[in-house]
Amino acid sequence: MLREKEVKTVLNKLKKRDSWFLVDYTVNPYEGCSCNCQYCYIRGSKYGENLAEGLAVKSNAPEILEKQLAAKAKNGQYGFVGIGSATDAYIHQEEKYRMTETILRLLLKYRFPAFISTKCALIKRDIKLLKEIDQAAILPADLGSTLKRGVILSVSVSSLDDTISHMLEPGAIPPLQRLQLLKELKQEGFLAGVNAIPVLPFISDTEEELDKIIFAANEYDADYVLVGGLTLFGNEKADSKTLFYKFLQRYDASLLPKYSSLYESNYYTVSCYQKELKERADRICERYSVRNKILE
Ligand code: SF4
């Protein structure tokens, strides 16, 4: 049984639209995440060392969300709702609790568009519902002329290597299965791509490894590939920086000094790295004629 948590609010309005995912709102049906990624950006917060152990279901989320969506719809404040910005919408427990499914039904009722990025195959259960939202959603005025549909989907991939994925994302399905999932979502007619955020410095961000990811995304029919760097928070034992450095110790300790130079005392990489990563990703996307953003 999951711990149950009552919340006062569930629909979060972003200060401005997320430029990667085009979302104006986020909703998290659960607290914590069964994918348990060691690099997860929510580590370094109150969620603790093991995201799966700290899991809770937001039991009153539907009734709160309904009120919030009704108010936004009444004022015409439509926008993409990202489900799972601090959890995966399809964690293992979703099979039993069906909170994401309930949220999708509310989005359909109030005609809000949806964005989901996942590492879990359970999303296939909701294909029919997602198709209905894709057709029925009302888009924000500035996106309506270019997008003309109400669902955007991503599978998230940080490396194609099964060993690395097993060490870093122990609760997610293997990377190739995620790409297979992408293909199935594409065959169902969705706008869907690969979210390669974060790629891992000196591991999956190199010309050769990034080429493999973007080539594979194209082979599996991605509409777009988004590439972004790794942020590492905090120095406490539950924080992502501590856990990721532990992974580096086991995977390849010779990378530790390189990471120290790259991050210095920050949680993000030095700016020249970010510029080079973007240029590399753009160049490879162009090589395979894959969009490096969701919109054309
Ligand atoms: S799937 Fe996303 S939210 Fe879940 S642990 Fe991994 S990075 Fe964090």
Side-chain angles (χ1 to χ4, degrees), residues 33 35-37 39-40 51 86-88 119:
C33 183
C35 292
N36 217 12
C37 306
Y39 52 70
C40 182
L51 295 180
T87 185
D88 193 297
K119 296 182 175 113

Side-chain angles (χ1 to χ4, degrees), residues 14-221:
L14 304 186
K15 284 200 183 97
K16 68 180 180 103
R17 180 176 297 151
D18 184 289
S19 57
W20 288 107
F21 308 125
L22 310 180
V23 302
D24 287 308
Y25 301 97
T26 59
V27 168
N28 287 295
Y30 301 94
E31 192 174 273
C33 183
S34 67
C35 292
N36 217 12
C37 306
Q38 301 299 288
Y39 52 70
C40 182
Y41 81 98
I42 63 173
R43 295 182 186 280
S45 64
K46 60 188 174 182
Y47 297 106
E49 187 163 7
N50 188 328
L51 295 180
E53 278 176 13
L55 265 168
V57 57
K58 296 182 180 174
S59 51
N60 64 337
E63 88 195 55
I64 304 284
L65 181 62
E66 175 138 30
K67 282 186 197 146
Q68 292 187 288
L69 288 176
K72 298 286 181 198
K74 197 171 164 197
N75 294 324
Q77 294 171 318
Y78 290 95
F80 272 86
V81 179
I83 306 179
S85 60
T87 185
D88 193 297
Y90 292 98
I91 61 170
H92 305 158
Q93 292 78 2
E94 168 64 16
E95 198 160 0
K96 175 176 176 193
Y97 287 89
R98 305 184 89 103
M99 194 56 84
T100 294
E101 182 189 357
T102 307
I103 287 169
L104 287 174
R105 290 197 188 285
L106 288 171
L107 296 188
L108 179 61
K109 179 174 174 185
Y110 291 96
R111 302 184 65 190
F112 273 76
F115 170 85
I116 298 177
S117 179
T118 188
K119 296 182 175 113
C120 303
L122 186 58
I123 191 174
K124 290 193 276 186
R125 181 200 64 194
D126 289 341
I127 279 175
K128 185 168 170 288
L129 189 48
L130 288 164
K131 280 185 180 174
E132 289 178 70
I133 296 171
D134 203 25
Q135 295 285 318
I138 297 172
L139 299 183
D142 57 328
L143 288 182
S145 57
T146 39
L147 204 50
K148 297 191 174 64
R149 58 189 314 166
V151 170
I152 303 171
L153 302 176
S154 284
V155 296
S156 174
V157 172
S158 285
S159 157
L160 293 182
D161 184 303
D162 273 355
T163 308
I164 293 173
S165 171
H166 187 66
M167 291 169 88
L168 281 179
E169 305 157 331
I173 59 172
L176 279 180
Q177 286 184 31
R178 287 176 231 166
L179 291 175
Q180 186 55 45
L181 173 62
L182 165 70
K183 192 164 194 169
E184 289 175 51
L185 295 171
K186 282 287 301 167
Q187 283 165 349
E188 293 288 349
F190 289 107
L191 171 63
V194 168
N195 166 15
I197 306 173
V199 285
L200 315 172
F202 314 110
I203 298 172
S204 60
D205 72 337
T206 60
E207 181 82 24
E208 190 184 351
E209 292 303 314
L210 204 51
D211 186 289
K212 280 188 204 164
I213 292 174
I214 296 171
F215 173 80
N218 192 36
E219 288 288 292
Y220 283 83
D221 213 13

Side-chain angles (χ1 to χ4, degrees), residues 232-280:
L232 291 173
F233 293 97
N235 296 308
E236 301 296 323
K237 75 177 182 129
D239 295 349
S240 61
K241 194 169 200 171
T242 308
L243 294 174
F244 196 83
Y245 278 38
K246 267 192 195 170
F247 154 77
L248 288 175
Q249 287 279 10
R250 286 184 292 144
Y251 177 71
D252 182 356
S254 73
L255 294 176
L256 284 164
K258 292 186 179 179
Y259 270 72
S260 296
S261 314
L262 196 57
Y263 286 87
E264 298 175 336
S265 55
N266 300 317
Y267 61 83
Y268 48 84
T269 49
V270 293
S271 59
C272 59
Y273 168 86
Q274 293 171 33
K275 183 169 173 283
E276 282 169 24
L277 177 63
K278 180 169 177 3
E279 286 169 359
R280 196 180 312 136

